[in-house]
Amino acid sequence: MNIDRVLETIFSYSFPSDEKLIEYALGRHGYGGDNGSYGITYPEDLDDFDRANGENIPDGKLEIYCKELDVDVLTIEERHYLQALKSYLANKGKIVDF
């Protein structure tokens, strides 16, 4: 699966807005579509219950999922996500520095 294609698809949804994407990235906070079909999860988003059930996201990584593209969960480097988000926003005329 092409990770950049998955990220482009996730960024194309109306939620979260570009401003919220920036806010969430800066705060290292995940998000998901209200129908549960796409989103990202940071290590900090996992709670004690998640960890007790064996869920773990290594530092410096995050998980992405996009059911539209049949992607249940992929673990990727956070820097890859931030670079893709930066490029997506730059293409829309929004310059950010992560």
Side-chain angles (χ1 to χ4, degrees):
M1 175 57 53
N2 183 316
I3 293 171
D4 291 323
R5 180 166 180 248
V6 175
L7 292 171
E8 288 170 13
T9 301
I10 291 172
F11 298 150
S12 73
Y13 293 109
S14 61
F15 175 84
S17 66
D18 292 347
E19 291 73 22
K20 283 293 187 183
L21 284 171
I22 295 166
E23 179 183 326
Y24 293 157
L26 291 171
R28 300 187 81 225
H29 178 63
Y31 59 86
D34 56 358
N35 63 1
S37 66
Y38 65 92
I40 69 158
T41 307
Y42 276 90
E44 294 82 2
D45 295 324
L46 300 177
D47 60 21
D48 291 337
F49 179 81
D50 296 325
R51 288 184 181 85
N53 286 303
E55 293 187 46
N56 178 48
I57 302 171
D59 287 335
K61 298 188 184 252
L62 52 84
E63 292 180 345
I64 61 173
Y65 58 97
C66 182
K67 293 184 181 176
E68 178 181 332
L69 300 177
D70 294 324
V71 175
D72 287 328
V73 175
L74 290 175
T75 302
I76 65 169
E77 296 286 334
E78 180 182 11
R79 62 185 159 82
H80 187 120
Y81 172 79
L82 293 175
Q83 185 58 45
L85 179 57
K86 191 174 183 177
S87 294
Y88 163 78
L89 293 167
N91 287 337
K92 295 179 83 178
K94 299 175 182 179
I95 307 301
V96 294
D97 188 27
F98 295 114

